[in-house]
């Protein structure tokens, strides 16, 4: 059936609206309508196009993922070569760059020159060709002269417009920029891959480059990719502004996304200020960058400066210290933590990466170690991004020496010789030695004295290790039996520091129940659970005596945590240590338990909680309900008396309405109580 002219204009109007909202969302980061409303427009257009296939145009917003897979990539010859950039690694090198620029332009050393400063995005370069405003071709950079045709893939990236907005764009316009995978998408993708046992990405750059080189555009469409434009290639048939920064502004008006973190700055000082500013915010940016780029802003001056071999004389990349370096694995050792977790660690030939010298890198767990197959003698890529612990990102297997062997999980603990066990379905292997294991003991003691636990100032890790090795410290109780004489006799311990330490040990005896419970180092009992237990039970005696069920009545205590707490206190050894601690003077104020009342205003009533409440967390609400005698369960059923619903309540609210369960907001609950 041929569409009527009315239908045609209806389709065109839908496309216009969708393009407009795409522009607001992607180019301006300022959406005007909720996602659901956008989806409705899209569905409406899809329905029309399905009914009248004649209506479909290649630049319709519905046509992003429709392309058939290609069997290989066609070569694209770049009409203007895609250049790379020279690097500067220090302010001195930047100064040299700036002097060369001024020299060439025959400007005085002190002259001001404006640079357009932008982040250097860590992704893959692309060229997008628009003819009469319609995207006709996407290509990789390749070797700068010849790239690959990836039109079918770039069309799937939602922030790349299939048709330009507004007017005044050149008849032929080549936009160049970086396709990248935002950090959040990268992390989510890798987490899924790990769970599914499929291959994870080494870094966001490989993720972007790999995603663009898919033969099947459906695969690319599944990858969370984004793009920022950073320069112009071909432009025929209209004049562009005469400054780089203004061209990028113009791009944005045409719906092409540009990085919001760009600025025009004066001279080297302006550049350095920009570098510092971006560097300090680097970890918080939603995408990975490896430096900043400065470009002489005036196109007239750019032209005067010209190129050397493959790089422009008018631009330079000021790099951050590398976050990935190559080094060799000297050994793989297994460390034992507080809970007995046996963690593989690579001992490395020291290498400078991410601004520090790294000689150890975590291998996370035995599965990760096997997945990467890291072996002693291997050449590896070490990665240290931001504040995260250095890790082995990958092995360069081509450089593997002969005769290496796969690393195996030890069957016995490297510290105490106890059996190493791995529970069904767990990634972590653990030493079964418990507090018999010196490593676990040392870690448990470090935790016990740490700032948020008993807070014994001056009781450092080295001292603990020394005292554990000499068997002077077997349980936390031994800390309170240490004497001035034996402490001052230790290596590197003067009389003064020994006496200070004795004072802080003494001071730590007066503590709180929360700190004490946390200090015990019960698995799964962090600071906030310790605080909930303390306020719920009030007295240590009641925590020790609590049944599984009673424990689960505490906010954030579920069956797993309750079981850990129970098994800790079922261990006579632990009870003995606690009583010795108390005999030695460790004490805290105890209070009355917040016992649920049988005759409270809510007794006999069953509640379900959903959504975000205005003034309390769901755990706090649970506790309030229980104190008033009510019960809280997880799902809505015929037995539910009330649903306490906050903002963004979802399926539970729908179900409650269907079953006719009374729905309360926070204020209504408080007035009931
Ligand atoms: S300008 C002639 N600007 O870095 C100018 N490049 O080493 C050529 N890159 O292949 C590039 N962010 O993929 C420019 N803001 C930015 C950039 C950027 C990342 C990449 C680009 C290029 C490589 C140059």
């Amino acid at each position: 059936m041929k569409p009527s002219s009315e239908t045609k204009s209806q389709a065109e109007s839908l496309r216009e609206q969708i393009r407009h909202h795409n522009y607001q969302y992607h180019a301006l980061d300022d959406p005007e309508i909720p996602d659901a409303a956008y989806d409705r427009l899209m569905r409406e257009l899809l329905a029309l196009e399905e009914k009248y296939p004649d209506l479909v145009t290649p630049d319709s917003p519905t046509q992003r993922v429709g392309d058939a897979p290609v069997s290989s990539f066609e070569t694209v010859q770049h009409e203007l070569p895609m250049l790379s950039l020279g690097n500067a690694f220090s302010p001195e090198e930047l100064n040299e760059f700036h002097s060369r620029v001024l020299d060439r332009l025959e400007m005085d050393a002190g002259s001001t020159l404006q640079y357009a400063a932008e982040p250097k995005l860590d992704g893959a370069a692309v060229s997008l060709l628009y003819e009469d405003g319609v995207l006709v071709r996407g290509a990789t950079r390749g070797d700068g002269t010849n790239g690959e045709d990836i039109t079918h893939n770039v069309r799937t990236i939602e922030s790349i417009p299939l048709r330009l907005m507004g007017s005044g764009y050149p008849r032929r316009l080549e936009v160049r920029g970086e396709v990248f995978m935002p950090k959040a998408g990268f992390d989510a993708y890798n987490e899924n891959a790990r769970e599914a046992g499929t291959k994870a990405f080494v870094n966001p750059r490989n993720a972007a480059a790999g995603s663009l080189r898919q033969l099947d555009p459906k695969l690319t469409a599944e990858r969370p990719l984004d793009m920022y434009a950073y320069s112009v290639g071909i432009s025929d048939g209209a004049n562009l502004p005469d400054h780089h920064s203004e061209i990028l502004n113009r791009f944005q008006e045409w719906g092409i996304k540009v990085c919001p973190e760009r600025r025009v700055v004066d001279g080297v000082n302006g550049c350095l200020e920009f570098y510092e500013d971006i560097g300090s915010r680097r970890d918080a940016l939603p995408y990975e960058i490896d430096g900043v780029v400065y470009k002489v802003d005036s196109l007239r001056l750019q032209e005067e400066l010209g190129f050397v071999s493959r790089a422009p004389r008018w631009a330079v990349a000021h790099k951050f210290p590398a976050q990935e370096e190559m080094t060799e694995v000297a050994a793989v050792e297994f460390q034992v933590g507080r809970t007995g977790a046996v963690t593989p660690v690579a001992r490395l030939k020291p290498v400078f990466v991410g601004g520090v010298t790294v000689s150890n890198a975590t291998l996370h767990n035995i599965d990760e170690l096997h997945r990467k197959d890291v072996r002693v003698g291997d050449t590896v890529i070490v990665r240290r991004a931001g504040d995260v612990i250095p890790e082995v990102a990958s092995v360069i297997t081509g450089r593997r020496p002969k005769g290496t062997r796969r690393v195996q999980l030890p069957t016995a603990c490297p510290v105490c010789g106890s059996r190493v066990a791995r529970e069904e379905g767990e990634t972590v292997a653990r030493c079964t030695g418990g507090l018999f294991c010196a490593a676990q003991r040392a870690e448990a003691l470090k935790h016990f004295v740490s700032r948020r636990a008993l807070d014994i100032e001056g009781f450092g890790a080295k001292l603990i290790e020394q005292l554990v090795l000499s068997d002077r410290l077997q349980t936390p109780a031994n800390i309170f039996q240490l004497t001035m004489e034996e402490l001052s006799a230790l290596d590197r311990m003067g009389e003064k520091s020994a006496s200070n330490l004795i004072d802080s040990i003494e001071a730590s005896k007066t503590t709180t129940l929360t700190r004490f419970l946390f200090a015990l180092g019960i698995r799964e009992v962090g600071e906030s659970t310790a605080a909930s237990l303390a306020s719920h039970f009030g007295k240590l005696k009641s925590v020790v005596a609590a049944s599984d069920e009673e424990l689960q009545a505490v906010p954030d205590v579920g069956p797993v945590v309750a079981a850990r707490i129970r098994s800790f206190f079922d261990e006579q050894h632990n009870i003995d240590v606690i009583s010795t601690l108390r005999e030695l003077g460790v004490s805290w104020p105890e209070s009355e338990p917040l016992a649920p009342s049988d005759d409270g205003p809510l007794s006999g009533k069953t509640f379900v909680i959903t959504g975000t409440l205005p003034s309390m967390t769901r755990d706090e609400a649970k506790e309030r309900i229980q104190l008033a005698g009510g019960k809280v369960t997880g799902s809505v059923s015929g037995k539910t008396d009330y649903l306490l619903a906050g903002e963004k309540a979802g399926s539970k609210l729908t179900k409650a309405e269907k079953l006719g369960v009374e729905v309360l907001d926070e204020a209504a609950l408080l007035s009931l109580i």
Side-chain angles (χ1 to χ4, degrees):
M1 197 172 22
K2 284 270 174 230
S4 66
S5 67
E6 204 178 313
T7 314
K8 269 190 204 154
S9 58
Q10 193 191 352
E12 205 31 60
S13 146
L14 282 169
R15 282 180 197 143
E16 282 296 315
Q17 291 179 61
I18 292 170
R19 279 186 200 117
H20 170 79
H21 293 303
N22 245 332
Y23 172 68
Q24 291 294 131
Y25 185 91
H26 289 291
L28 304 185
D29 193 14
D30 184 18
E32 287 173 346
I33 55 170
D35 292 359
Y38 177 86
D39 292 343
R40 272 198 293 278
L41 291 172
M42 211 45 173
R43 277 202 303 274
E44 215 177 306
L45 178 60
L46 273 167
L48 265 188
E49 290 182 347
E50 206 168 307
K51 195 158 165 205
Y52 304 103
D54 281 4
L55 277 180
V56 181
T57 55
D59 63 338
S60 170
T62 58
Q63 298 303 300
R64 287 194 177 275
V65 202
D67 294 349
V70 297
S71 52
S72 65
F73 297 102
E74 302 279 328
T75 301
V76 169
Q77 188 169 7
H78 298 298
E79 287 176 46
L80 297 170
M82 286 184 80
L83 302 168
S84 63
L85 291 167
N87 289 323
F89 289 98
S90 64
E92 292 70 42
E93 291 180 6
L94 176 62
N95 258 313
E96 288 163 19
F97 163 81
H98 181 61
S99 308
R100 282 196 304 273
V101 169
L102 292 183
D103 257 8
R104 274 230 153 223
L105 295 174
E106 296 180 356
M107 290 169 77
D108 294 336
S111 329
T112 49
L113 182 63
Q114 292 198 314
Y115 289 101
E118 309 160 0
K120 185 169 190 299
L121 305 153
D122 210 1
V126 291
S127 142
L128 305 172
L129 184 62
Y130 287 90
E131 285 179 358
D132 296 318
V134 176
L135 176 67
V136 295
R137 195 194 66 200
T140 62
R141 173 171 180 271
D143 61 5
T145 311
N146 292 303
E148 286 175 326
D149 189 326
I150 50 163
T151 313
H152 60 297
N153 290 337
V154 296
R155 288 172 60 87
T156 68
I157 301 174
E158 286 198 46
S159 54
I160 295 181
L162 299 178
R163 167 194 276 242
L164 299 180
M165 308 267 304
S167 59
Y169 39 75
R171 203 193 69 70
R172 283 184 91 223
L173 174 69
E174 184 196 3
V175 174
R176 292 175 174 182
E178 197 86 347
V179 166
F180 57 93
M181 189 174 284
K183 288 176 190 166
F186 174 82
D187 291 342
Y189 188 94
N190 272 359
E191 197 168 314
N192 276 336
R194 281 196 193 108
E195 272 171 22
T198 54
K199 207 164 168 226
F201 294 124
V202 178
N203 56 40
R205 181 184 51 246
N206 293 356
S211 301
L212 285 179
R213 292 196 78 265
Q214 294 296 325
L215 294 169
D216 185 352
K218 280 201 194 61
L219 296 176
T220 309
E222 285 165 9
R223 311 281 171 88
L225 298 175
D226 203 342
M227 188 203 76
Y228 285 141
Y230 55 60
S231 76
V232 62
I234 306 160
S235 92
D236 286 341
N239 286 335
L240 289 176
D242 58 7
H243 282 75
H244 171 80
S245 53
E246 289 162 18
I247 295 181
L248 295 194
N249 292 342
R250 200 57 68 80
F251 277 1
Q252 187 164 21
E253 288 167 24
W254 292 330
I256 298 161
K257 215 169 152 176
V258 289
C259 181
E261 304 288 345
R262 70 210 141 85
R263 230 184 316 152
V264 177
V265 299
D266 282 330
V268 168
N269 285 343
C271 290
L272 290 176
E273 238 171 69
F274 182 80
Y275 178 87
E276 293 298 327
D277 173 45
I278 294 288
S280 72
R281 293 187 293 115
R282 178 185 188 184
D283 290 341
L285 292 176
Y287 41 82
E288 207 69 67
I289 61 175
D290 59 351
V292 297
V293 184
Y294 314 120
K295 302 167 184 172
V296 171
D297 198 25
S298 153
L299 295 199
R300 188 179 56 75
L301 297 182
Q302 284 191 5
E303 207 164 316
E304 213 174 312
L305 286 160
F307 306 89
V308 261
S309 63
R310 310 237 47 124
R313 285 205 189 87
W314 42 264
V316 72
H318 190 180
K319 302 287 276 287
F320 294 135
Q323 293 188 310
E324 283 183 3
E325 283 298 344
M326 224 161 56
T327 188
E328 270 168 48
V329 178
V332 173
E333 290 175 5
F334 288 84
Q335 269 177 355
V336 184
R338 173 162 69 84
T339 60
V342 175
T343 307
V345 184
R347 306 287 178 210
L348 307 168
K349 224 160 124 183
V351 59
F352 191 73
V353 51
V356 296
T357 301
V358 168
S359 40
N360 301 303
T362 180
L363 293 160
H364 300 292
N365 56 57
I366 191 72
D367 287 344
E368 274 287 295
L369 167 71
H370 282 158
R371 202 176 56 74
K372 292 177 179 156
D373 192 16
V374 179
R375 303 181 185 195
V376 178
D378 269 344
T379 299
V380 293
I381 301 205
V382 178
R383 188 174 159 75
R384 181 185 177 274
D387 294 333
V388 300
I389 11 172
E391 59 167 2
V392 171
S394 59
V395 174
I396 306 176
T397 34
R399 296 199 179 203
R400 174 168 286 167
K402 284 213 174 73
T404 62
R405 271 183 304 175
R406 256 171 93 82
V407 177
Q408 297 301 341
L409 179 70
T411 50
C413 170
V415 177
C416 72
S418 303
R419 194 167 55 83
V420 168
R422 197 170 157 189
E423 276 171 43
E424 185 77 27
E426 279 235 359
T427 42
V428 181
R430 290 178 203 276
C431 158
T432 53
L435 290 180
F436 168 74
C437 175
Q440 289 188 54
R441 224 177 324 141
E443 293 309 313
L445 287 161
K446 285 180 204 166
H447 173 76
F448 189 85
V449 305
S450 66
R451 201 168 51 79
R452 311 172 95 105
L454 274 244
D455 190 20
I456 308 186
E457 223 187 295
F459 216 142
K462 287 271 169 300
L463 179 61
I464 290 184
E465 281 159 23
Q466 197 182 344
L467 291 168
V468 166
L469 276 182
S470 65
D471 251 357
R472 183 60 190 91
L473 281 190
Q474 289 183 323
T475 78
N478 299 138
I479 292 173
F480 300 94
Q481 295 162 326
L482 291 167
T483 64
M484 240 326 259
E485 292 69 41
E486 58 183 327
L487 282 179
S488 51
L490 292 171
D491 284 356
R492 285 171 302 182
M493 176 74 85
E495 197 124 317
K496 180 77 191 139
S497 33
S499 126
N500 285 344
L501 187 54
I502 290 286
D503 287 348
S504 42
I505 292 175
E506 196 53 37
S508 76
K509 287 181 177 174
T510 308
T511 186
T512 64
L513 181 53
T514 298
R515 281 178 178 275
F516 186 76
L517 283 169
F518 176 58
L520 292 176
I522 306 169
R523 261 172 81 187
E524 312 278 350
V525 177
E527 237 177 333
S528 83
T529 306
S532 304
L533 288 168
S535 74
H536 185 92
F537 291 104
K539 297 182 166 65
L540 181 67
K541 200 175 72 192
S542 321
V543 186
V544 174
S547 68
D548 219 74
E549 204 175 19
E550 287 163 337
L551 286 167
Q552 287 192 48
V554 178
D556 59 82
V557 175
V560 175
V561 182
R564 298 269 189 233
I565 299 171
R566 269 293 8 111
S567 67
F568 183 89
F569 292 120
D570 284 343
E571 192 80 50
Q572 185 56 41
H573 164 86
N574 291 331
I575 300 292
D576 292 345
V577 171
I578 292 171
S579 29
T580 317
L581 283 166
R582 300 188 94 166
E583 279 160 23
L584 290 167
V586 177
S587 68
W588 53 85
E590 299 214 311
S591 57
E592 283 314 307
L594 296 173
S597 55
D598 289 337
D599 53 357
L602 302 183
S603 69
K605 299 290 181 206
T606 302
F607 283 71
V608 173
I609 312 175
T610 186
T612 311
L613 301 170
S615 81
M616 48 177 132
T617 65
R618 286 207 287 269
D619 278 331
E620 281 161 358
K622 179 174 171 187
E623 178 122 19
R624 300 286 286 265
I625 293 169
Q626 286 167 341
L627 288 175
K631 223 172 89 182
V632 177
T633 62
S635 57
V636 178
S637 73
K639 295 197 189 109
T640 311
D641 295 294
Y642 298 105
L643 178 74
L644 173 61
E647 257 196 65
K648 299 220 178 85
S651 60
K652 285 180 185 167
L653 180 58
T654 326
K655 183 148 184 212
E657 281 164 350
K658 212 158 94 196
L659 294 177
V661 171
E662 188 171 340
V663 179
L664 304 177
D665 62 7
E666 185 187 289
L669 171 75
L670 293 177
S671 70
L672 270 187
I673 293 174

